PDB file of all heavy atoms in Angstrom:
ATOM      1  N   ASN W   3      10.323  16.224  15.467  1.00  0.00           N
ATOM      2  CA  ASN W   3      10.125  16.445  14.027  1.00  0.00           C
ATOM      3  C   ASN W   3       8.667  16.673  13.671  1.00  0.00           C
ATOM      4  O   ASN W   3       8.351  17.165  12.630  1.00  0.00           O
ATOM      5  CB  ASN W   3      10.761  15.323  13.187  1.00  0.00           C
ATOM      6  CG  ASN W   3       9.907  14.077  13.095  1.00  0.00           C
ATOM      7  OD1 ASN W   3       8.729  14.117  13.474  1.00  0.00           O
ATOM      8  ND2 ASN W   3      10.470  13.018  12.595  1.00  0.00           N
ATOM      9  N   ARG W   4       7.748  16.257  14.626  1.00  0.00           N
ATOM     10  CA  ARG W   4       6.345  16.437  14.259  1.00  0.00           C
ATOM     11  C   ARG W   4       6.013  17.914  14.109  1.00  0.00           C
ATOM     12  O   ARG W   4       5.089  18.302  13.435  1.00  0.00           O
ATOM     13  CB  ARG W   4       5.455  15.825  15.348  1.00  0.00           C
ATOM     14  CG  ARG W   4       5.119  14.348  15.017  1.00  0.00           C
ATOM     15  CD  ARG W   4       4.053  13.836  15.973  1.00  0.00           C
ATOM     16  NE  ARG W   4       4.603  13.572  17.279  1.00  0.00           N
ATOM     17  CZ  ARG W   4       5.165  12.397  17.596  1.00  0.00           C
ATOM     18  NH1 ARG W   4       5.252  11.476  16.674  1.00  0.00           N
ATOM     19  NH2 ARG W   4       5.660  12.177  18.780  1.00  0.00           N
ATOM     20  N   SER W   5       6.814  18.791  14.678  1.00  0.00           N
ATOM     21  CA  SER W   5       6.487  20.220  14.614  1.00  0.00           C
ATOM     22  C   SER W   5       6.877  20.803  13.267  1.00  0.00           C
ATOM     23  O   SER W   5       6.378  21.819  12.854  1.00  0.00           O
ATOM     24  CB  SER W   5       7.267  20.957  15.707  1.00  0.00           C
ATOM     25  OG  SER W   5       8.647  20.788  15.418  1.00  0.00           O
ATOM     26  N   ILE W   6       7.803  20.133  12.588  1.00  0.00           N
ATOM     27  CA  ILE W   6       8.250  20.720  11.314  1.00  0.00           C
ATOM     28  C   ILE W   6       7.305  20.261  10.211  1.00  0.00           C
ATOM     29  O   ILE W   6       7.085  19.082  10.037  1.00  0.00           O
ATOM     30  CB  ILE W   6       9.689  20.281  10.983  1.00  0.00           C
ATOM     31  CG1 ILE W   6      10.641  20.831  12.046  1.00  0.00           C
ATOM     32  CG2 ILE W   6      10.090  20.764   9.604  1.00  0.00           C
ATOM     33  CD1 ILE W   6      12.078  20.421  11.842  1.00  0.00           C
ATOM     34  N   ARG W   7       6.743  21.179   9.538  1.00  0.00           N
ATOM     35  CA  ARG W   7       5.819  20.803   8.448  1.00  0.00           C
ATOM     36  C   ARG W   7       6.523  20.837   7.106  1.00  0.00           C
ATOM     37  O   ARG W   7       6.623  19.843   6.424  1.00  0.00           O
ATOM     38  CB  ARG W   7       4.617  21.740   8.431  1.00  0.00           C
ATOM     39  CG  ARG W   7       3.503  21.344   9.408  1.00  0.00           C
ATOM     40  CD  ARG W   7       2.403  22.386   9.395  1.00  0.00           C
ATOM     41  NE  ARG W   7       1.912  22.644   8.065  1.00  0.00           N
ATOM     42  CZ  ARG W   7       1.102  21.813   7.404  1.00  0.00           C
ATOM     43  NH1 ARG W   7       0.716  20.696   7.998  1.00  0.00           N
ATOM     44  NH2 ARG W   7       0.668  22.089   6.204  1.00  0.00           N
ATOM     45  N   HIS W   8       7.016  21.957   6.685  1.00  0.00           N
ATOM     46  CA  HIS W   8       7.619  22.034   5.346  1.00  0.00           C
ATOM     47  C   HIS W   8       8.957  22.772   5.415  1.00  0.00           C
ATOM     48  O   HIS W   8       9.177  23.561   6.325  1.00  0.00           O
ATOM     49  CB  HIS W   8       6.685  22.795   4.399  1.00  0.00           C
ATOM     50  CG  HIS W   8       5.305  22.242   4.384  1.00  0.00           C
ATOM     51  ND1 HIS W   8       5.037  20.953   3.982  1.00  0.00           N
ATOM     52  CD2 HIS W   8       4.118  22.787   4.750  1.00  0.00           C
ATOM     53  CE1 HIS W   8       3.734  20.722   4.080  1.00  0.00           C
ATOM     54  NE2 HIS W   8       3.153  21.816   4.561  1.00  0.00           N
ATOM     55  N   PRO W   9       9.850  22.514   4.453  1.00  0.00           N
ATOM     56  CA  PRO W   9      11.143  23.196   4.472  1.00  0.00           C
ATOM     57  C   PRO W   9      10.990  24.664   4.097  1.00  0.00           C
ATOM     58  O   PRO W   9      10.117  25.000   3.302  1.00  0.00           O
ATOM     59  CB  PRO W   9      11.951  22.444   3.412  1.00  0.00           C
ATOM     60  CG  PRO W   9      10.931  21.906   2.461  1.00  0.00           C
ATOM     61  CD  PRO W   9       9.715  21.605   3.302  1.00  0.00           C
ATOM     62  N   GLU W  10      11.831  25.544   4.672  1.00  0.00           N
ATOM     63  CA  GLU W  10      11.760  26.950   4.294  1.00  0.00           C
ATOM     64  C   GLU W  10      12.301  27.146   2.876  1.00  0.00           C
ATOM     65  O   GLU W  10      11.845  27.987   2.134  1.00  0.00           O
ATOM     66  CB  GLU W  10      12.556  27.839   5.265  1.00  0.00           C
ATOM     67  CG  GLU W  10      12.011  27.866   6.686  1.00  0.00           C
ATOM     68  CD  GLU W  10      12.772  26.834   7.526  1.00  0.00           C
ATOM     69  OE1 GLU W  10      14.020  26.772   7.383  1.00  0.00           O
ATOM     70  OE2 GLU W  10      12.119  26.059   8.254  1.00  0.00           O
ATOM     71  N   GLY W  11      13.291  26.334   2.497  1.00  0.00           N
ATOM     72  CA  GLY W  11      13.867  26.459   1.147  1.00  0.00           C
ATOM     73  C   GLY W  11      13.717  25.148   0.402  1.00  0.00           C
ATOM     74  O   GLY W  11      13.341  24.130   1.000  1.00  0.00           O
ATOM     75  N   MET W  12      13.956  25.166  -0.906  1.00  0.00           N
ATOM     76  CA  MET W  12      13.824  23.929  -1.678  1.00  0.00           C
ATOM     77  C   MET W  12      15.032  23.044  -1.452  1.00  0.00           C
ATOM     78  O   MET W  12      16.176  23.475  -1.650  1.00  0.00           O
ATOM     79  CB  MET W  12      13.683  24.267  -3.162  1.00  0.00           C
ATOM     80  CG  MET W  12      13.409  23.078  -4.058  1.00  0.00           C
ATOM     81  SD  MET W  12      12.070  22.021  -3.501  1.00  0.00           S
ATOM     82  CE  MET W  12      10.666  23.087  -3.829  1.00  0.00           C
ATOM     83  N   PRO W  13      14.794  21.799  -1.012  1.00  0.00           N
ATOM     84  CA  PRO W  13      15.922  20.891  -0.754  1.00  0.00           C
ATOM     85  C   PRO W  13      16.770  20.620  -1.992  1.00  0.00           C
ATOM     86  O   PRO W  13      16.303  20.772  -3.122  1.00  0.00           O
ATOM     87  CB  PRO W  13      15.211  19.610  -0.286  1.00  0.00           C
ATOM     88  CG  PRO W  13      13.919  20.072   0.263  1.00  0.00           C
ATOM     89  CD  PRO W  13      13.516  21.217  -0.614  1.00  0.00           C
ATOM     90  N   SER W  14      17.991  20.217  -1.729  1.00  0.00           N
ATOM     91  CA  SER W  14      18.916  19.874  -2.815  1.00  0.00           C
ATOM     92  C   SER W  14      18.645  18.456  -3.304  1.00  0.00           C
ATOM     93  O   SER W  14      18.089  17.626  -2.580  1.00  0.00           O
ATOM     94  CB  SER W  14      20.362  19.918  -2.319  1.00  0.00           C
ATOM     95  OG  SER W  14      20.610  21.107  -1.632  1.00  0.00           O
TER      96      SER W  14
END
Side-chain angles (χ1 to χ4, degrees):
N3 81 12
R4 268 190 285 273
S5 62
I6 296 178
R7 276 176 54 76
H8 307 298
E10 295 95 43
M12 185 50 71
S14 311

